[in-house]
Structures are given as structure tokens and as C-alpha cells.
Amino acid sequence: MINRLTGTTFLGADRRGKYLVLPLDSGDAVMVHLRMSGQLLLAAAGATRPNHTHVVAHLAPGEGQSDEELWFVDPRTFGEVVVFDPDRDPPEIPELARLGVDPLGDPFDAAVLAGLLRGRGRQLKALLLDQHVIAGLGNIYTDEVLHSAKLHPMRLATTLKQADVVRLADSISSILRDAVRSGGSTLSDAQYVDLMGSGGSYQDNHCVYGRGGESCRTCSRSVIARVMQGGRSTHFCPRCQK
């Protein structure tokens, strides 16, 4: 990885689902997946590095700028940093090639979603979390999306009517865009931060996630339930999401 990075220039920053993709002027690209605890941090060269800093990229300064470093910090060591050729066939990172529709980067509406759901007799929560179907939805935003669309997380996808699909597609798009504008959700562990180490604020808008046992902000007549599905916590309002 060091040889393929040395002397190259980052041309930009993009993403596909939960993967960050940074194209290089060499034709290669850097793929970063933060997983559960990863962080990308920009810092002054020589600054004290946090524990669990696994990758350090030394950046050449621009005119009038000081030396900086790009750190990849990951306490749980689940994350990935890989230099790859995006045009190689077969792909060097097959999981990128297998990703499903990205609601923020691909054409996405109720018709597209209906096609993705057709014939899939799975519960909605599990289906929306499947990155091979829809890329980019994690546990937090799946709970928020289903609440916004008034759909129970254990409902089977095959039972949705057209109006349900329209609400679900609209909720996926609006929740994700609002979350991006708010810098994401930084929870009490403060693990999710931006490049400068600042947290997001979308957690202030959570209607269900992390609010088990609290009053529903939507109907004010029920209490948010928390159950376990597939090893993950799921939050929903039993009244709003029947």
C-alpha cells in the first residue's frame, strides 16, 4: 500500500454505500471503511496520535500551509484502508462491486424500490440492512426510516402496498439527506466524528433509535419498544408502526 500511495495526489472524495473512495492521480483509489469504530482524522504533523492509530499518511503542504497527516484510527480494528485499481476486472475489492442501489448516488424512487423489494419475503429491517440490496443504510437510519414510513420492522416486504413503498422510498431519501446535512449521528461513545474531529448532530433528531422506554415523539401516546433482531437492537413505536 505504501508504494502505491507514495508521491500520489488525492483528486477528491467520494463514497459508495458505507465505503469511502478517494481517487488518486495514479489511476488507483483508496478505499476506507470505518466499520464500527474507525475514524479518519486530519492533524498537524507531529501531533500526538491517538491510541489505535493504524495508518498515517504524510501530506505534502500546499503553498502557505504547514505539514499535515491523515490518520486512520480504529480501536476495534474492524475497519479497512486499501489502495486498489477501480478499473481492474475482476475487481480487487469484490464487495464494492456487489453493493446494491445507493439511494444518494443512483437513481432512486418508489419504482426502483418496488423492483428491489419484489419477490423478497424477508422482514423489512433485515432487508433494508442488506448492503447487496440497498447500500448505505445502517442500524440507526433503518430504524428512523421505518418509523418515518410508519412501517413495522418485522413486516414482510411482500405485504407492502404501493402507498407503503412510496412512503418508504421518500423516507429513505429524506432521512439520509437530512443526516448527511447534519454531519451524521454522534452517539455517547463519540466514535463517529468528521475529518476535524467534530461530531454530528442528527442524533438530536432521532425519533426512535436509542430511545427505548421513552415516549414516542410522533404520537406521544406510546412508548418506544426495543427488541433484538439478528443480534442488533431495533427501536420502533408500536402505535405508529403497526
Side-chain angles (χ1 to χ4, degrees):
M1 185 175 83
I2 292 175
N3 291 337
R4 294 173 73 174
L5 266 180
T6 302
T8 62
T9 300
F10 290 115
L11 298 180
D14 201 354
R15 47 158 292 283
R16 179 79 186 170
K18 299 180 182 181
Y19 292 82
L20 304 177
V21 180
L22 314 175
L24 302 171
D25 62 352
S26 64
D28 284 339
V30 179
M31 181 279 288
V32 181
H33 199 312
L34 302 178
R35 301 293 176 187
M36 297 295 292
S37 62
Q39 299 174 336
L40 271 184
L41 300 173
L42 187 64
T48 301
R49 297 168 187 165
N51 293 332
H52 311 292
T53 300
H54 300 291
V55 177
V56 178
H58 302 276
L59 306 180
E63 185 176 351
Q65 296 179 328
S66 57
D67 291 354
E68 292 181 314
E69 296 175 347
L70 183 64
W71 300 336
F72 178 69
V73 182
D74 186 13
R76 297 190 185 181
T77 66
F78 291 154
E80 301 173 80
V81 180
V82 179
V83 181
F84 73 106
D85 180 355
D87 297 323
R88 182 172 172 179
D89 188 21
E92 293 181 270
I93 305 180
E95 55 264 38
L96 265 178
R98 292 196 297 263
L99 289 176
V101 172
D102 186 323
L104 297 182
D106 298 327
F108 184 79
D109 56 18
V112 171
L113 180 59
L116 296 174
L117 299 180
R118 190 171 296 118
R120 298 180 186 268
R122 298 170 63 186
Q123 293 181 347
L124 285 175
K125 175 70 181 279
L127 185 56
L128 293 182
L129 286 174
D130 188 337
Q131 301 301 298
H132 298 147
V133 180
I134 298 177
L137 280 173
N139 202 40
I140 293 174
Y141 298 114
T142 299
D143 282 359
E144 293 300 312
V145 161
L146 289 172
H147 180 76
S148 174
K150 303 184 187 307
L151 296 171
H152 196 285
M154 298 178 193
R155 183 169 172 179
L156 296 182
T158 49
T159 68
L160 297 189
K161 299 178 181 178
Q162 177 62 19
D164 298 325
V165 176
V166 170
R167 289 199 315 276
L168 183 56
D170 289 345
S171 294
I172 290 172
S173 295
S174 62
I175 294 289
L176 288 179
R177 293 186 190 282
D178 288 348
V180 169
R181 281 193 290 267
S182 300
S185 298
T186 300
L187 305 181
S188 57
D189 58 14
Q191 288 182 334
Y192 180 77
V193 294
D194 66 14
L195 198 62
M196 309 309 297
S198 299
S201 62
Y202 194 73
Q203 66 278 2
D204 297 334
N205 297 327
H206 289 178
C207 288
V208 290
Y209 186 84
R211 301 191 63 249
E214 299 180 25
S215 176
C216 177
R217 291 175 173 174
T218 301
C219 70
S220 301
R221 300 176 66 183
S222 186
V223 172
I224 302 301
R226 178 182 181 273
V227 299
M228 298 301 294
Q229 278 185 284
R232 296 171 181 256
S233 60
T234 291
H235 304 80
F236 63 98
C237 172
R239 182 179 180 84
C240 296
Q241 300 167 253
K242 294 182 179 179

